[in-house]
Amino acid sequence: MTGADAPAGGPPGQEPVLLLTGARLSDGRVVDVRIAGERIQAVGTPGGLGPLPPPGSTGGTAGTRIDLTGYLLLPAPAEPHAHYDTAFSAALPGPPPHGPPELVRRVTEAALTALGYGATAQRTHVRIGDVHGLGRLEAVLTAAQALRGLADLQAVAMPRLLTGRAGADGRAQLREAIRLGAAAVGGCPELDPDPVGYVQVLLEAAREADRPVDLHCSGADPGRLARMAGVLAPLRPKVTLGPCDALAPGASMVLASAGIRVVCLPQSGGCAGGERPPGGLPPSVVRELARARVPLAAGSGALRDLAAPVGRADPLEAAFLLASSGALGPEDAYDAVAGQARAGLGLPPVRVDVGFPAELLAVRGDSLAGVLAGGHSRVVVHRGRVVSRTSAVREFADTVALALPRQPLPED
């Protein structure tokens, strides 16, 4: 089941309080966590943070207590690379309808799906131009506004062409997309006749509007990659490339020296935004990027569209795939979908510690490896309030004398 609690807010010093009790941290400690407003106010031993004030007490603040015994409490993950404008379109009988109401509905469903898995901050790439003009972007921005308070959703404007006479419409659409509220600019330079020129146009637009650049790139041509990295150098560290699923040998050093962040897509390797269909992500690519110390995040990519008909929006699955392939250890794999993903979105870091943003995910399990292997019950905290709960209860038929496992639900 899923649900959300009342929004956080209130005068300074009187914000609603959320008390998470009995949670286990990734270092093995069991703690209580007190949240006031949108930040973590205290972290202490179980029972050491005192009771919540009773409802209606004089001078007290409203409070909620949730028992997280049996749960691992983590910084909330983020979704750094999605394609919500095509989400859930694989099963449609014809081309996906792109009328505003239908597209807003599918984008909203996609964002809520990712939120239910724990992603409180999300970035989706959105095609602009061609026959759809800015309609897809407008639908995503409408959904983002409706989702405020539940999740933060950023849109990346993706024109197809930007150079020469053929790119005139794309350049005009890009300027208008920024004016409408696109949080970043991007696209696939490899689809333009002049990939380096495409990047140059993006750089000028990004610098003028103070926007980051988030590009689709396979990384198969190290020479072209080096030229693009050189053009983007003035904008670092606000530059992201992905999915880099065909990264050429030695190209990781180009990215490392340029200070460019990479978002890989462990589920399928690629997505509909690239120049070729997804072909899987070789673990060797991830290992090479990690050895070169390239800042590495991981996303989900396509969500049940033609590029990935069984795509999922679960950051923990992306981390599981990185860890199970041997490309990264569990800690680094989770950091790729959490700390590194948030950094790629330009968001502040999160730790389960005093003063940090209350962006948290509680997953049933006793270790990080355990939750990556199969953590289904989850409690998601965004801006200091519970915005989603998913409870999975497993029961077996009573055919043996042994005590059978049953997962209790979190109490509040």
Side-chain angles (χ1 to χ4, degrees):
M1 62 181 177
T2 61
D5 291 344
Q14 296 189 16
E15 301 95 340
V17 172
L18 177 62
L19 184 62
L20 308 176
T21 64
R24 184 176 297 276
L25 303 185
S26 58
D27 61 9
R29 289 180 295 150
V30 177
V31 299
D32 289 356
V33 177
R34 185 183 180 100
I35 297 168
E38 298 184 1
R39 293 195 172 267
I40 297 173
Q41 185 183 65
V43 178
T45 56
L49 299 184
L52 290 169
S57 60
T58 303
T61 57
T64 302
R65 176 186 178 276
I66 297 180
D67 182 4
L68 291 181
T69 301
Y71 280 71
L72 190 71
L73 186 62
L74 300 163
E79 173 52 74
H81 189 120
H83 286 269
Y84 291 164
D85 58 332
T86 59
F88 304 113
S89 60
L92 297 177
H98 291 291
E102 167 63 18
L103 189 50
V104 170
R105 184 196 66 77
R106 286 195 290 110
V107 171
T108 302
E109 182 181 356
L112 290 176
T113 299
L115 175 64
Y117 286 123
T120 61
Q122 305 167 26
R123 174 179 284 182
T124 179
H125 295 254
V126 187
R127 291 190 183 276
I128 62 172
D130 301 326
V131 297
H132 300 295
L134 295 169
R136 295 183 180 186
L137 177 66
E138 291 170 341
V140 170
L141 295 176
T142 298
Q145 180 67 25
L147 289 163
R148 289 187 64 184
L150 288 174
D152 294 329
L153 177 60
Q154 300 179 1
V156 183
M158 292 179 56
R160 181 176 178 84
L161 301 177
L162 285 179
T163 65
R165 295 180 60 183
D169 179 65
R171 295 191 294 272
Q173 296 274 6
L174 180 62
R175 290 191 294 270
E176 183 63 11
I178 293 172
R179 188 192 68 81
L180 287 175
V185 295
C188 182
E190 293 160 344
L191 297 178
D192 193 283
D194 180 5
V196 177
Y198 184 106
V199 173
Q200 182 66 54
V201 174
L202 271 187
L203 173 67
E204 293 170 0
R207 294 181 72 177
E208 181 179 342
D210 190 25
R211 295 290 198 277
V213 170
D214 194 337
L215 291 170
H216 285 73
C217 180
S218 67
D221 185 335
R224 182 166 57 192
L225 184 64
R227 292 192 295 274
M228 291 193 299
V231 170
L232 292 167
L235 201 63
R236 60 183 180 187
K238 298 193 296 183
V239 179
T240 301
L241 293 183
C244 294
D245 53 317
L247 198 68
S252 59
M253 297 307 299
V254 173
L255 297 170
S257 60
I260 292 177
R261 185 178 308 276
V262 168
V263 176
C264 66
L265 303 177
Q267 288 187 30
S268 60
C271 59
E275 65 174 344
R276 58 193 184 87
L281 178 67
S284 59
V285 169
V286 178
R287 285 194 288 267
E288 181 178 343
L289 291 167
R291 282 196 299 266
R293 299 186 180 276
V294 175
L296 180 64
S300 299
L303 175 59
R304 292 169 60 186
D305 62 15
L306 293 177
V310 295
R312 298 182 66 194
D314 187 354
L316 266 64
E317 179 167 4
F320 160 78
L321 292 170
L322 289 175
S324 64
S325 69
L328 297 176
E331 292 77 13
D332 289 337
Y334 189 76
D335 186 53
V337 302
Q340 292 292 345
R342 284 184 60 86
L345 271 59
L347 299 174
V350 173
R351 294 208 316 259
V352 186
D353 206 348
V354 175
F356 282 87
E359 303 287 328
L360 303 171
L361 170 64
V363 189
R364 175 161 290 283
D366 58 3
S367 67
L368 187 55
V371 302
L372 293 186
H376 302 295
S377 296
R378 307 184 191 188
V379 179
V380 185
V381 176
H382 173 55
R383 296 190 178 185
R385 71 176 183 127
V386 175
V387 292
S388 176
R389 304 190 203 194
T390 302
S391 299
V393 178
R394 178 177 294 150
E395 296 181 318
F396 299 93
D398 190 8
T399 58
V400 295
L402 298 176
L404 299 176
R406 185 180 187 277
Q407 297 179 346
L409 304 181
E411 299 178 358
D412 59 347

